[in-house]
Amino acid sequence: MSTPGPLVVVGDVLLDRDVQGVVDRLAPDAPVPVVDVTADLSRPGGAGLAAALAARTGHEVVLVTALGEDGASDRVREALRGRVRLVELPLEGTLPVKTRVLAGGRPLVRVDRGGGEVGPVPPAVREALAGAHAVLVADYGRGTADAVRPLLAGAARRVPLVWDPHPRGGPPVPGARLVTPNAAEAAALSPGEGHSLGAHARRGAELAQRWNAVCVAVTLGDRGALLTRPGSAAPMLVPVPYPATGDPCGAGDCFAALAAVAFAEGALPEEAVQRAVAGAAAFVAAGGASDPGLWRSRGQDGPARPGAGDAFALAGSVRAGGGTVVATGGCFDLLHAGHVGLLDSARRIGDCLIVCVNSDASLRRLKGPGRPLTPLEDRMRVLAALGSVDAVVAFEEDTPEALLRALRPDVWVKGGDYSADALPEAGVLRGWGGQTVVLPYLDGRSTTGLADRAARAAANARTAP
């Protein structure tokens, strides 16, 4: 049996740079904040981010994009090496660079520079699209999609094609399975309808008909996405499964990438949009595109998720008000009474509770094959719904030590029956005068025990007369 072809991502790559820091004073010569820089991170953006996120699902990904001979293009090549296969168009000029200056995880200013013209399409692009199992077009209006448009029109007749549009770009090719404008983009492309759900629905249906697309999903940020069809008066609203108030940078790329992956796996549009909404919410809550863990291989040093959205903003706000920041962590694969008791007790220690959660890969390395039983986005959703939990943030490494160095809680709480001094996190907390405490678990409660009892019950049910 032949192996399905790759997911091919076509579009404009940018180099995104985040200069992160702390502000505690104004400049003496002007009423502007002074940013003490703590990190300077660069990563592929645009179609490069979408391709990398798609590749994290385990699919083979080919990225068709325009790159030049400048330093920014070289940094993108290096970051994507080993993650996706690059098929390059020539770029006459320099790759666009977007620089954000952030304080406490919140942007202060953005500076854009660079740009160029896309050159002729090499034969390798035609070959890549001819072998595609599904296609994602991440159009940032900088020429790549327009250069490849005839080949994309042919691909849309053969395989599922998702198009993430831009007001400066051309329209999607006819026959796109799903087009994914955000609310502002849809309003720019179809103005005059207002901003109610009804207006978004009418706008999405009108765009779907104009573009001859199967569906249009208008993404609405923390409200989810509205799935519409040409001429239909009955859209489907897919809400965000849990609050995701972190850094939204890259959420649209994540949504489009996960929808394309879902189509590659045979999903219907409704299923694809539901998976994309849930995955994008988890992406934002866990730090979004500013998470350096997206671009680090396992075992590399450095702080984890320093831009992890509301967790870091919350910690900074509580500290600024003289409060106590409490954090705890674990897998939380099946939330049980022991977890709930620990979290309730931990929250009473201070003024906020931040839960650090092992990613799926981290949990699998810790617990072995067959785990997790519950994917990361579901674990984060359940934890965020608890009244004792103020924020949830995920980490990719085997331990949360790097995340703690970035978060700097006043108290780290662990459940169990061992000495706090024996915990590796204790030494980390002492670095800034923090305290580690151990709280007892409820006896006999554990995820492993629950899973074992469920397996035995299922086995007994199968053998019962």
Side-chain angles (χ1 to χ4, degrees):
M1 189 173 77
S2 62
T3 303
L7 169 63
V8 176
V9 179
V10 178
D12 307 301
V13 172
L14 319 169
L15 183 67
D16 285 344
R17 181 184 174 203
D18 279 354
V19 179
Q20 300 173 351
V22 177
V23 172
D24 56 15
R25 66 191 190 280
L26 295 178
D29 55 340
V32 295
V34 176
V35 180
D36 291 319
V37 175
T38 58
D40 192 337
L41 309 169
S42 298
R43 62 185 183 274
L49 175 62
L53 292 171
R56 283 168 64 88
T57 67
H59 282 260
E60 179 188 359
V61 175
V62 175
L63 173 60
V64 175
T65 192
L67 293 173
E69 301 303 322
D70 57 304
S73 294
D74 289 339
R75 296 186 76 173
V76 165
R77 292 185 183 98
E78 178 62 28
L80 294 176
R81 182 177 294 122
R83 303 173 187 273
V84 305
R85 179 164 65 87
L86 277 172
V87 175
E88 296 185 22
L89 288 78
L91 179 67
E92 300 170 8
T94 60
L95 195 73
V97 179
K98 297 192 309 181
T99 301
R100 297 191 306 166
V101 180
L102 303 98
R106 299 184 182 278
L108 294 180
V109 67
R110 195 181 101 180
V111 179
D112 292 4
R113 68 179 186 273
E117 296 293 328
V118 178
V121 179
V125 174
R126 182 183 298 274
E127 295 171 6
L129 285 168
H133 190 58
V135 175
L136 166 62
V137 181
D139 185 11
Y140 274 71
R142 294 181 179 270
T144 302
D146 287 339
V148 187
R149 178 171 294 275
L151 299 177
L152 294 173
R157 293 191 289 267
R158 300 190 309 270
V159 296
L161 184 144
V162 175
W163 193 293
D164 191 8
H166 193 284
R168 294 189 309 193
V173 295
R177 187 74 56 90
L178 182 70
V179 186
T180 63
N182 63 34
E185 291 164 346
L189 293 162
S190 179
E193 287 283 349
H195 300 284
S196 66
L197 281 178
H200 291 310
R202 291 189 295 272
R203 186 178 287 122
E206 189 274 324
L207 289 172
Q209 190 160 8
R210 183 198 305 178
W211 291 330
N212 192 21
V214 176
C215 298
V216 167
V218 181
T219 58
L220 306 174
D222 58 6
R223 299 169 73 187
L226 199 62
L227 181 63
T228 63
R229 296 178 183 272
S232 173
M236 183 177 82
L237 177 64
V238 180
V240 172
Y242 56 89
T245 56
D247 186 352
C249 180
D253 298 304
C254 182
F255 180 93
L258 295 181
V261 167
F263 281 124
E265 295 174 352
L268 297 172
E270 292 80 3
E271 297 170 318
V273 171
Q274 289 179 50
R275 287 169 57 177
V277 166
F283 171 80
V284 170
S290 59
D291 169 20
L294 293 175
W295 308 103
R296 272 204 319 273
S297 300
R298 183 189 170 197
Q300 286 184 278
D301 294 328
R305 304 191 183 274
D310 61 334
F312 288 85
L314 173 66
S317 175
V318 170
R319 272 195 298 269
T324 298
V325 178
V326 182
T328 188
C331 299
F332 300 98
D333 201 3
L334 287 179
L335 194 69
H336 52 71
H339 292 139
V340 174
L342 172 72
L343 296 172
D344 284 344
S345 298
R347 180 60 178 83
R348 288 194 291 269
I349 293 173
D351 298 287
C352 71
L353 176 62
I354 298 170
V355 181
C356 307
V357 186
N358 295 73
S359 71
D360 289 345
S362 173
L363 194 157
R364 189 173 300 111
R365 292 193 299 268
L366 183 65
K367 298 294 185 179
R371 302 286 292 273
L373 302 171
T374 308
L376 176 63
E377 55 264 29
D378 289 354
R379 289 184 280 132
M380 294 182 72
R381 176 183 181 182
V382 171
L383 286 165
L386 296 177
S388 58
V389 176
D390 298 289
V392 185
V393 58
F395 60 93
E396 297 286 349
E397 295 79 10
D398 292 343
T399 72
E401 293 177 45
L403 175 57
L404 292 177
R405 289 190 181 96
L407 190 62
R408 296 174 70 87
D410 301 297
V411 181
W412 171 252
V413 175
K414 195 69 177 175
D417 56 0
Y418 33 70
S419 168
D421 291 335
L423 292 170
E425 297 93 333
V428 176
L429 268 288
R430 283 194 293 269
W432 54 86
Q435 177 68 47
T436 301
V437 300
V438 173
L439 297 178
Y441 267 141
L442 289 176
D443 188 40
R445 275 79 167 183
S446 76
T447 297
T448 302
L450 286 172
D452 288 345
R453 288 198 296 275
R456 288 195 298 271
N460 291 337
R462 287 194 298 269
T463 58

Short mmCIF file of all heavy atoms in Angstrom, two decimals, residues 179-233:
data_model
loop_
_atom_site.label_atom_id
_atom_site.label_comp_id
_atom_site.label_asym_id
_atom_site.label_seq_id
_atom_site.Cartn_x
_atom_site.Cartn_y
_atom_site.Cartn_z
N VAL A 179 -11.54 28.24 3.98
CA VAL A 179 -10.82 29.51 4.02
C VAL A 179 -10.98 30.08 5.43
O VAL A 179 -12.07 30.03 6.01
CB VAL A 179 -11.36 30.50 2.97
CG1 VAL A 179 -10.49 31.76 2.94
CG2 VAL A 179 -11.40 29.86 1.60
N THR A 180 -9.90 30.63 6.00
CA THR A 180 -9.89 30.92 7.44
C THR A 180 -9.53 32.38 7.74
O THR A 180 -8.54 32.65 8.44
CB THR A 180 -8.89 29.99 8.15
OG1 THR A 180 -7.56 30.25 7.65
CG2 THR A 180 -9.24 28.53 7.94
N PRO A 181 -10.30 33.36 7.29
CA PRO A 181 -10.02 34.75 7.69
C PRO A 181 -10.38 34.99 9.15
O PRO A 181 -11.32 34.37 9.67
CB PRO A 181 -10.93 35.56 6.76
CG PRO A 181 -12.10 34.65 6.53
CD PRO A 181 -11.52 33.26 6.47
N ASN A 182 -9.65 35.88 9.81
CA ASN A 182 -10.12 36.30 11.12
C ASN A 182 -11.18 37.38 10.93
O ASN A 182 -11.48 37.81 9.82
CB ASN A 182 -8.97 36.76 12.02
CG ASN A 182 -8.23 37.98 11.49
OD1 ASN A 182 -8.82 38.86 10.86
ND2 ASN A 182 -6.93 38.04 11.75
N ALA A 183 -11.77 37.83 12.04
CA ALA A 183 -12.90 38.75 11.94
C ALA A 183 -12.50 40.05 11.25
O ALA A 183 -13.25 40.58 10.42
CB ALA A 183 -13.46 39.04 13.33
N ALA A 184 -11.32 40.57 11.57
CA ALA A 184 -10.88 41.83 10.96
C ALA A 184 -10.61 41.66 9.48
O ALA A 184 -10.96 42.53 8.66
CB ALA A 184 -9.63 42.35 11.68
N GLU A 185 -9.98 40.54 9.11
CA GLU A 185 -9.72 40.29 7.70
C GLU A 185 -11.01 40.12 6.92
O GLU A 185 -11.16 40.66 5.81
CB GLU A 185 -8.84 39.04 7.56
CG GLU A 185 -7.42 39.24 8.07
CD GLU A 185 -6.68 37.94 8.27
OE1 GLU A 185 -7.32 36.86 8.29
OE2 GLU A 185 -5.44 37.99 8.44
N ALA A 186 -11.96 39.37 7.49
CA ALA A 186 -13.24 39.19 6.81
C ALA A 186 -13.96 40.52 6.64
O ALA A 186 -14.57 40.78 5.60
CB ALA A 186 -14.10 38.20 7.60
N ALA A 187 -13.88 41.39 7.66
CA ALA A 187 -14.53 42.69 7.57
C ALA A 187 -13.87 43.56 6.49
O ALA A 187 -14.55 44.32 5.79
CB ALA A 187 -14.49 43.40 8.92
N ALA A 188 -12.54 43.44 6.36
CA ALA A 188 -11.86 44.21 5.32
C ALA A 188 -12.21 43.70 3.93
O ALA A 188 -12.30 44.47 2.97
CB ALA A 188 -10.34 44.14 5.54
N LEU A 189 -12.42 42.39 3.82
CA LEU A 189 -12.73 41.79 2.52
C LEU A 189 -14.20 41.92 2.15
O LEU A 189 -14.56 41.89 0.98
CB LEU A 189 -12.32 40.31 2.54
CG LEU A 189 -10.81 40.05 2.63
CD1 LEU A 189 -10.54 38.61 3.07
CD2 LEU A 189 -10.14 40.33 1.29
N SER A 190 -15.08 42.06 3.18
CA SER A 190 -16.52 42.20 2.94
C SER A 190 -17.06 43.22 3.93
O SER A 190 -17.67 42.86 4.94
CB SER A 190 -17.21 40.84 3.11
OG SER A 190 -18.61 40.95 2.91
N PRO A 191 -16.81 44.50 3.71
CA PRO A 191 -17.15 45.53 4.70
C PRO A 191 -18.65 45.82 4.76
O PRO A 191 -19.42 45.42 3.90
CB PRO A 191 -16.38 46.76 4.19
CG PRO A 191 -16.24 46.54 2.72
CD PRO A 191 -16.12 45.06 2.52
N GLY A 192 -19.02 46.51 5.86
CA GLY A 192 -20.36 47.06 5.96
C GLY A 192 -21.39 46.23 6.68
O GLY A 192 -22.56 46.58 6.68
N GLU A 193 -21.00 45.15 7.34
CA GLU A 193 -21.99 44.27 7.96
C GLU A 193 -22.05 44.41 9.47
O GLU A 193 -22.87 43.78 10.11
CB GLU A 193 -21.65 42.80 7.64
CG GLU A 193 -21.95 42.41 6.20
CD GLU A 193 -23.42 42.17 5.97
OE1 GLU A 193 -24.18 42.11 6.95
OE2 GLU A 193 -23.81 42.06 4.81
N GLY A 194 -21.18 45.21 10.11
CA GLY A 194 -21.15 45.26 11.56
C GLY A 194 -20.31 44.14 12.14
O GLY A 194 -19.56 43.46 11.42
N HIS A 195 -20.45 43.91 13.46
CA HIS A 195 -19.58 42.94 14.13
C HIS A 195 -20.34 41.97 15.04
O HIS A 195 -19.75 41.36 15.92
CB HIS A 195 -18.51 43.69 14.94
CG HIS A 195 -17.65 44.57 14.08
ND1 HIS A 195 -16.66 44.07 13.27
CD2 HIS A 195 -17.67 45.92 13.89
CE1 HIS A 195 -16.08 45.08 12.62
NE2 HIS A 195 -16.68 46.20 12.98
N SER A 196 -21.63 41.83 14.84
CA SER A 196 -22.39 40.82 15.59
C SER A 196 -22.14 39.44 15.00
O SER A 196 -21.58 39.30 13.90
CB SER A 196 -23.88 41.14 15.52
OG SER A 196 -24.35 41.00 14.18
N LEU A 197 -22.58 38.41 15.71
CA LEU A 197 -22.44 37.06 15.19
C LEU A 197 -23.19 36.92 13.87
O LEU A 197 -22.73 36.26 12.93
CB LEU A 197 -22.97 36.04 16.20
CG LEU A 197 -22.04 35.69 17.36
CD1 LEU A 197 -22.72 34.70 18.30
CD2 LEU A 197 -20.72 35.10 16.86
N GLY A 198 -24.37 37.53 13.80
CA GLY A 198 -25.13 37.49 12.55
C GLY A 198 -24.38 38.13 11.41
O GLY A 198 -24.39 37.63 10.27
N ALA A 199 -23.71 39.26 11.70
CA ALA A 199 -22.94 39.93 10.66
C ALA A 199 -21.77 39.07 10.21
O ALA A 199 -21.47 38.97 9.02
CB ALA A 199 -22.44 41.28 11.18
N HIS A 200 -21.09 38.43 11.16
CA HIS A 200 -19.98 37.55 10.80
C HIS A 200 -20.48 36.37 9.96
O HIS A 200 -19.82 35.95 9.00
CB HIS A 200 -19.29 37.02 12.06
CG HIS A 200 -18.53 38.06 12.82
ND1 HIS A 200 -17.62 38.91 12.24
CD2 HIS A 200 -18.54 38.38 14.15
CE1 HIS A 200 -17.10 39.71 13.16
NE2 HIS A 200 -17.65 39.40 14.31
N ALA A 201 -21.66 35.85 10.31
CA ALA A 201 -22.22 34.72 9.56
C ALA A 201 -22.55 35.13 8.13
O ALA A 201 -22.23 34.41 7.17
CB ALA A 201 -23.47 34.20 10.27
N ARG A 202 -23.20 36.29 7.96
CA ARG A 202 -23.53 36.75 6.61
C ARG A 202 -22.27 37.03 5.79
O ARG A 202 -22.20 36.72 4.61
CB ARG A 202 -24.41 38.00 6.69
CG ARG A 202 -25.81 37.74 7.22
CD ARG A 202 -26.70 38.96 7.08
NE ARG A 202 -26.24 40.08 7.90
CZ ARG A 202 -26.60 40.27 9.16
NH1 ARG A 202 -27.41 39.40 9.77
NH2 ARG A 202 -26.17 41.32 9.83
N ARG A 203 -21.29 37.61 6.47
CA ARG A 203 -20.03 37.92 5.78
C ARG A 203 -19.33 36.64 5.34
O ARG A 203 -18.82 36.54 4.22
CB ARG A 203 -19.15 38.74 6.72
CG ARG A 203 -17.88 39.26 6.09
CD ARG A 203 -17.12 40.11 7.10
NE ARG A 203 -17.77 41.39 7.33
CZ ARG A 203 -18.19 41.82 8.52
NH1 ARG A 203 -18.05 41.07 9.59
NH2 ARG A 203 -18.75 43.00 8.64
N GLY A 204 -19.27 35.64 6.23
CA GLY A 204 -18.63 34.38 5.88
C GLY A 204 -19.32 33.68 4.73
O GLY A 204 -18.66 33.17 3.81
N ALA A 205 -20.66 33.66 4.74
CA ALA A 205 -21.41 33.01 3.66
C ALA A 205 -21.20 33.75 2.34
O ALA A 205 -21.08 33.13 1.27
CB ALA A 205 -22.89 32.95 4.02
N GLU A 206 -21.15 35.09 2.40
CA GLU A 206 -20.93 35.87 1.18
C GLU A 206 -19.55 35.62 0.61
O GLU A 206 -19.38 35.46 -0.61
CB GLU A 206 -21.11 37.36 1.49
CG GLU A 206 -21.12 38.26 0.27
CD GLU A 206 -19.73 38.68 -0.19
OE1 GLU A 206 -18.86 38.90 0.69
OE2 GLU A 206 -19.50 38.76 -1.40
N LEU A 207 -18.53 35.56 1.48
CA LEU A 207 -17.17 35.29 1.02
C LEU A 207 -17.05 33.88 0.45
O LEU A 207 -16.38 33.67 -0.57
CB LEU A 207 -16.18 35.49 2.16
CG LEU A 207 -15.96 36.95 2.60
CD1 LEU A 207 -15.11 36.99 3.87
CD2 LEU A 207 -15.30 37.75 1.49
N ALA A 208 -17.70 32.91 1.08
CA ALA A 208 -17.65 31.54 0.58
C ALA A 208 -18.24 31.46 -0.82
O ALA A 208 -17.71 30.77 -1.71
CB ALA A 208 -18.40 30.60 1.53
N GLN A 209 -19.35 32.20 -1.04
CA GLN A 209 -19.96 32.20 -2.37
C GLN A 209 -19.07 32.94 -3.37
O GLN A 209 -18.89 32.48 -4.51
CB GLN A 209 -21.34 32.84 -2.29
CG GLN A 209 -22.15 32.69 -3.56
CD GLN A 209 -23.64 32.90 -3.30
OE1 GLN A 209 -24.04 33.30 -2.22
NE2 GLN A 209 -24.45 32.60 -4.29
N ARG A 210 -18.52 34.08 -2.97
CA ARG A 210 -17.66 34.87 -3.86
C ARG A 210 -16.43 34.06 -4.28
O ARG A 210 -16.01 34.11 -5.44
CB ARG A 210 -17.22 36.14 -3.16
CG ARG A 210 -16.37 37.05 -4.04
CD ARG A 210 -15.59 38.08 -3.23
NE ARG A 210 -16.43 38.89 -2.36
CZ ARG A 210 -15.93 39.81 -1.53
NH1 ARG A 210 -14.61 40.01 -1.47
NH2 ARG A 210 -16.74 40.52 -0.76
N TRP A 211 -15.86 33.31 -3.35
CA TRP A 211 -14.63 32.57 -3.62
C TRP A 211 -14.87 31.16 -4.17
O TRP A 211 -13.92 30.46 -4.48
CB TRP A 211 -13.81 32.46 -2.34
CG TRP A 211 -13.23 33.77 -1.86
CD1 TRP A 211 -12.87 34.83 -2.62
CD2 TRP A 211 -12.94 34.11 -0.50
NE1 TRP A 211 -12.36 35.83 -1.81
CE2 TRP A 211 -12.39 35.43 -0.52
CE3 TRP A 211 -13.09 33.46 0.72
CZ2 TRP A 211 -11.99 36.08 0.65
CZ3 TRP A 211 -12.70 34.10 1.88
CH2 TRP A 211 -12.15 35.40 1.84
N ASN A 212 -16.14 30.74 -4.23
CA ASN A 212 -16.45 29.37 -4.65
C ASN A 212 -15.72 28.38 -3.75
O ASN A 212 -15.11 27.40 -4.21
CB ASN A 212 -16.08 29.14 -6.12
CG ASN A 212 -16.66 27.85 -6.66
OD1 ASN A 212 -17.63 27.30 -6.12
ND2 ASN A 212 -16.07 27.34 -7.74
N ALA A 213 -15.77 28.65 -2.44
CA ALA A 213 -15.14 27.78 -1.44
C ALA A 213 -16.18 26.85 -0.83
O ALA A 213 -17.37 27.20 -0.75
CB ALA A 213 -14.49 28.62 -0.34
N VAL A 214 -15.74 25.69 -0.40
CA VAL A 214 -16.67 24.77 0.26
C VAL A 214 -17.17 25.38 1.56
O VAL A 214 -18.36 25.36 1.88
CB VAL A 214 -16.00 23.41 0.51
CG1 VAL A 214 -16.93 22.48 1.29
CG2 VAL A 214 -15.57 22.77 -0.81
N CYS A 215 -16.24 25.95 2.36
CA CYS A 215 -16.58 26.54 3.65
C CYS A 215 -15.66 27.73 3.93
O CYS A 215 -14.53 27.78 3.42
CB CYS A 215 -16.41 25.54 4.80
SG CYS A 215 -17.45 24.08 4.74
N VAL A 216 -16.15 28.64 4.75
CA VAL A 216 -15.33 29.71 5.32
C VAL A 216 -15.50 29.68 6.83
O VAL A 216 -16.63 29.64 7.33
CB VAL A 216 -15.74 31.10 4.78
CG1 VAL A 216 -15.11 32.22 5.60
CG2 VAL A 216 -15.33 31.23 3.32
N ALA A 217 -14.40 29.65 7.55
CA ALA A 217 -14.42 29.73 9.02
C ALA A 217 -13.88 31.09 9.41
O ALA A 217 -12.69 31.38 9.23
CB ALA A 217 -13.58 28.62 9.64
N VAL A 218 -14.77 31.95 9.93
CA VAL A 218 -14.34 33.25 10.43
C VAL A 218 -13.89 33.07 11.87
O VAL A 218 -14.70 32.72 12.74
CB VAL A 218 -15.48 34.29 10.34
CG1 VAL A 218 -15.00 35.65 10.84
CG2 VAL A 218 -16.00 34.39 8.91
N THR A 219 -12.61 33.28 12.14
CA THR A 219 -12.10 33.08 13.50
C THR A 219 -12.36 34.35 14.31
O THR A 219 -12.14 35.46 13.85
CB THR A 219 -10.61 32.73 13.49
OG1 THR A 219 -9.86 33.76 12.84
CG2 THR A 219 -10.39 31.41 12.74
N LEU A 220 -12.82 34.14 15.55
CA LEU A 220 -13.31 35.24 16.39
C LEU A 220 -12.51 35.37 17.68
O LEU A 220 -13.04 35.81 18.71
CB LEU A 220 -14.79 35.02 16.72
CG LEU A 220 -15.72 34.82 15.53
CD1 LEU A 220 -17.13 34.47 16.00
CD2 LEU A 220 -15.74 36.05 14.64
N GLY A 221 -11.25 34.99 17.69
CA GLY A 221 -10.43 35.12 18.88
C GLY A 221 -10.95 34.25 20.00
O GLY A 221 -11.19 33.04 19.82
N ASP A 222 -11.17 34.85 21.19
CA ASP A 222 -11.59 34.06 22.35
C ASP A 222 -13.05 33.63 22.28
O ASP A 222 -13.55 32.97 23.19
CB ASP A 222 -11.32 34.82 23.65
CG ASP A 222 -12.02 36.17 23.70
OD1 ASP A 222 -12.81 36.48 22.78
OD2 ASP A 222 -11.79 36.92 24.66
N ARG A 223 -13.75 33.97 21.19
CA ARG A 223 -15.13 33.50 21.00
C ARG A 223 -15.18 32.24 20.16
O ARG A 223 -16.25 31.64 20.01
CB ARG A 223 -15.97 34.59 20.36
CG ARG A 223 -16.08 35.86 21.19
CD ARG A 223 -16.68 37.01 20.41
NE ARG A 223 -18.11 36.84 20.19
CZ ARG A 223 -18.83 37.65 19.42
NH1 ARG A 223 -18.25 38.67 18.79
NH2 ARG A 223 -20.12 37.45 19.26
N GLY A 224 -14.07 31.83 19.56
CA GLY A 224 -14.04 30.61 18.76
C GLY A 224 -14.03 30.90 17.28
O GLY A 224 -13.34 31.80 16.81
N ALA A 225 -14.82 30.15 16.52
CA ALA A 225 -14.87 30.31 15.06
C ALA A 225 -16.28 30.03 14.58
O ALA A 225 -17.02 29.21 15.16
CB ALA A 225 -13.88 29.37 14.38
N LEU A 226 -16.65 30.70 13.49
CA LEU A 226 -17.98 30.56 12.91
C LEU A 226 -17.82 29.91 11.54
O LEU A 226 -17.22 30.48 10.63
CB LEU A 226 -18.62 31.93 12.78
CG LEU A 226 -20.14 32.00 12.61
CD1 LEU A 226 -20.84 31.40 13.81
CD2 LEU A 226 -20.57 33.45 12.41
N LEU A 227 -18.33 28.68 11.39
CA LEU A 227 -18.21 27.93 10.14
C LEU A 227 -19.42 28.22 9.26
O LEU A 227 -20.56 27.98 9.66
CB LEU A 227 -18.11 26.43 10.44
CG LEU A 227 -17.96 25.52 9.23
CD1 LEU A 227 -16.67 25.79 8.48
CD2 LEU A 227 -18.03 24.05 9.65
N THR A 228 -19.17 28.73 8.06
CA THR A 228 -20.24 29.12 7.15
C THR A 228 -20.05 28.43 5.80
O THR A 228 -18.95 28.02 5.45
CB THR A 228 -20.27 30.64 6.94
OG1 THR A 228 -19.04 31.04 6.31
CG2 THR A 228 -20.40 31.37 8.26
N ARG A 229 -21.14 28.37 5.05
CA ARG A 229 -21.13 27.78 3.70
C ARG A 229 -21.78 28.75 2.73
O ARG A 229 -22.55 29.64 3.15
CB ARG A 229 -21.86 26.44 3.69
CG ARG A 229 -21.19 25.37 4.55
CD ARG A 229 -21.99 24.07 4.55
NE ARG A 229 -21.40 23.07 5.42
CZ ARG A 229 -20.47 22.20 5.05
NH1 ARG A 229 -20.03 22.20 3.80
NH2 ARG A 229 -19.99 21.33 5.91
N PRO A 230 -21.55 28.62 1.45
CA PRO A 230 -22.12 29.55 0.48
C PRO A 230 -23.64 29.59 0.55
O PRO A 230 -24.30 28.55 0.47
CB PRO A 230 -21.64 29.00 -0.87
CG PRO A 230 -20.44 28.18 -0.56
CD PRO A 230 -20.68 27.61 0.80
N GLY A 231 -24.19 30.78 0.74
CA GLY A 231 -25.63 30.95 0.72
C GLY A 231 -26.38 30.37 1.90
O GLY A 231 -27.60 30.38 1.91
N SER A 232 -25.67 29.85 2.91
CA SER A 232 -26.34 29.19 4.04
C SER A 232 -26.68 30.20 5.12
O SER A 232 -25.89 31.09 5.43
CB SER A 232 -25.46 28.10 4.62
OG SER A 232 -26.03 27.57 5.81
N ALA A 233 -27.87 30.07 5.70
CA ALA A 233 -28.28 30.92 6.81
C ALA A 233 -28.12 30.20 8.15
O ALA A 233 -28.62 30.68 9.17
CB ALA A 233 -29.73 31.34 6.62
#
